[in-house]
Amino acid sequence: MVYVTRGLVETLLRLASEAEPDDVTISLAVTPAGDLPDADLPDETPVFTDFYLPSAGASVKAVFGVDLGTPAGQTQGRFVSHPDGYMGVSKTDDLHEVIFVGIPPWDIDAFGAFDRAGQAQEITVLDVEPPEKYPQ
């Protein structure tokens, strides 16, 4: 079972829709359910709540080949859009532990999750808000 917040799903699908006909690849991070008071899950359960904009740090990556937009080792998932309508993991997708895929018409019914082997995973969309995070 893969848990994800409704707000994250809606945001990812909106970004994919805005990028069409191009595809998007977005790194995703989890929050332990214990930090989500309304999640009603065991405290250690990972819930996908956050994303890192794909354009953050793009100029440094283009020049030096280093991705500064995504903290190393801090993303457990990836969202990829497939404007061609393919609901699955393709050979060109960046693989992660969990790969979320969105396809047209960019709604909740056109959103799926897969493991790195391409096997479909069951998704539970939670109506909870992630905690606000502030830079320290």
Side-chain angles (χ1 to χ4, degrees):
M1 178 67 66
V2 178
Y3 298 95
V4 61
T5 62
R6 184 171 307 282
L8 180 61
V9 172
E10 291 171 352
T11 299
L12 295 171
L13 292 171
R14 180 179 47 78
L15 291 171
S17 173
E18 291 171 357
E20 191 175 15
D22 296 324
D23 59 359
V24 294
T25 299
I26 300 172
S27 296
L28 306 175
V30 298
T31 300
D35 293 344
L36 304 169
D38 299 326
D40 195 28
L41 295 168
D43 287 351
E44 66 282 351
T45 303
V47 178
F48 284 92
T49 56
D50 298 294
F51 69 96
Y52 294 95
L53 287 173
S55 60
S59 58
V60 173
K61 185 174 182 179
V63 175
F64 299 106
V66 177
D67 182 3
L68 296 179
T70 305
Q74 293 186 19
T75 61
Q76 296 77 17
R78 173 103 42 202
F79 170 77
V80 295
S81 66
H82 291 167
D84 62 2
Y86 175 63
M87 179 52 80
V89 177
S90 72
K91 291 180 182 179
T92 60
D93 290 335
D94 292 331
L95 299 182
H96 253 68
E97 184 177 335
V98 176
I99 303 100
F100 293 97
V101 176
I103 62 172
W106 311 116
D107 60 25
I108 194 80
D109 295 325
F111 185 82
F114 301 85
D115 64 16
R116 69 181 79 215
Q119 297 296 314
Q121 302 294 299
E122 189 173 342
I123 300 174
T124 296
V125 178
L126 303 173
D127 289 316
V128 298
E129 292 294 322
E132 290 189 31
K133 297 177 184 172
Y134 299 99
Q136 297 187 17

